[in-house]
């Protein structure tokens, strides 16, 4: 299996469907590396520990993390089930960004950003990242999020180990479309 294919399979299994490989995540979202490798082997995917470690290290968005001993692996964010990622609430910068597409805009400006299938709404630290996130679905539109103002009114923010900002939802009052001319 190519690295990219393994990375996609890991995202699917570790974020959404561990049962696909007859695995169970612990409360922090981890699964044993040995357990994962044998579950893959049982499905005729011959993945070496070296390849797994390479995918963890080279994943463009640093999607996966190993525990301190290197014995367990988890997805760093993006789960559709409740896992405790052991993230501490942290004060956000004054502004964060969200990349989306035109077809969601009206709804978003009406009801705010909601997590949909995920546990959190994902926010980007800069325009360029939001541009890439929105660009996965079409021509990207960037929303500015008044994060510090939200935080002041009690909204809780987290930053995942790979730099994605997470919060439960963003009410419409804190959203503004970025001036298209400023979009990269
Ligand atoms: C939209 C990737 C209608 C939202 C990226 C988005 C990211 C609404 C979509 C990570 C809405 C959800 C997450 C509302 C939000 N009405 N549409 N009220 N609220 N939406 O994939 O932020 O490659 O769950 O704009 O890098 O696109 O997976 O979230 O378009 O960090 O590692 O609903 O996924 O990382 O889509 O992306 P997603 P996202 P990975």
């Amino acid at each position: 299996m190519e690295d990219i294919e393994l990375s996609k399979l890991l995202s699917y299994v570790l974020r959404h469907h561990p049962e696909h490989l007859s695995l169970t995540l612990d409360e922090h979202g981890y699964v044993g590396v040995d357990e994962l490798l044998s579950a893959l082997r049982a499905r005729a995917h011959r993945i070496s520990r070296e390849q797994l470690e390479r995918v963890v290290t080279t994943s463009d968005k640093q999607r996966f993390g190993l525990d301190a001993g290197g014995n367990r692996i988890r997805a760093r964010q993006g789960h559709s089930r409740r896992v405790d990622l052991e993230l501490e609430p942290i004060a956000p910068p004054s502004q964060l960004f969200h990349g989306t597409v035109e077809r969601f805009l009206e709804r978003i400006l009406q009801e705010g950003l909601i997590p949909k299938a995920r546990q959190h709404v994902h926010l980007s630290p800069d325009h360029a990242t939001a541009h890439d996130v929105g660009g996965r679905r079409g021509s990207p539109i960037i929303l500015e999020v008044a994060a510090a103002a939200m935080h002041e009114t009690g909204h809780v923010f987290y930053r995942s180990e790979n730099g994605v900002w997470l919060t439960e939802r963003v009410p419409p009052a804190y959203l503004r479309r970025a001036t298209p001319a400023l979009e990269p």
Side-chain angles (χ1 to χ4, degrees):
M1 190 186 286
E2 301 281 331
D3 286 4
I4 182 113
E5 209 183 324
L6 176 58
S7 175
K8 285 186 177 166
L9 178 61
L10 290 177
S11 287
Y12 178 76
V13 168
L14 299 176
R15 288 171 173 178
H16 311 296
H17 292 293
E19 72 281 358
H20 176 68
L21 293 181
S22 310
L23 294 167
T24 317
L25 306 183
D26 73 13
E27 57 174 325
H28 301 304
Y30 281 113
V31 65
V33 170
D34 290 337
E35 221 184 317
L36 172 64
L37 292 174
S38 33
L40 287 165
R41 228 166 277 135
R43 279 159 187 80
H45 298 309
R46 299 212 136 268
I47 309 296
S48 64
R49 182 174 284 263
E50 290 66 35
Q51 186 182 6
L52 185 68
E53 284 173 4
R54 184 171 70 233
V55 166
V56 169
T57 324
T58 59
S59 158
D60 53 351
K61 295 183 186 163
Q62 294 291 301
R63 293 182 177 91
F64 314 106
L66 294 170
D67 67 4
N71 299 318
R72 296 178 305 157
I73 181 171
R74 71 177 171 189
R76 288 187 155 148
Q77 28 70 208
H79 301 80
S80 52
R81 46 190 69 210
R82 289 231 153 251
V83 293
D84 172 12
L85 292 173
E86 303 157 284
L87 299 174
E88 295 294 330
I90 164 173
S94 67
Q95 250 190 358
L96 288 168
F97 304 88
H98 180 84
T100 189
V101 282
E102 182 79 43
R103 65 181 186 277
F104 296 148
L105 197 58
E106 195 182 325
R107 199 69 199 266
I108 291 175
L109 295 176
Q110 240 167 48
E111 65 180 20
L113 290 170
I114 54 168
K116 292 221 177 154
R118 303 196 195 236
Q119 207 183 335
H120 296 103
V121 167
H122 288 221
L123 303 173
S124 307
D126 52 62
H127 257 242
T129 311
H131 189 262
D132 292 344
V133 172
R136 285 149 59 233
R137 298 201 156 81
S139 175
I141 285 180
I142 299 179
L143 298 171
E144 295 172 353
V145 177
M150 274 180 73
H151 184 247
E152 272 165 35
T153 60
H155 287 267
V156 180
F157 286 80
Y158 306 93
R159 191 177 52 206
S160 73
E161 290 162 302
N162 54 344
V164 178
W165 284 86
L166 306 169
T167 193
E168 228 152 74
R169 64 189 184 94
V170 179
Y174 299 98
L175 287 169
R176 196 179 65 177
R177 186 173 175 175
T179 317
L182 293 178
E183 288 174 8

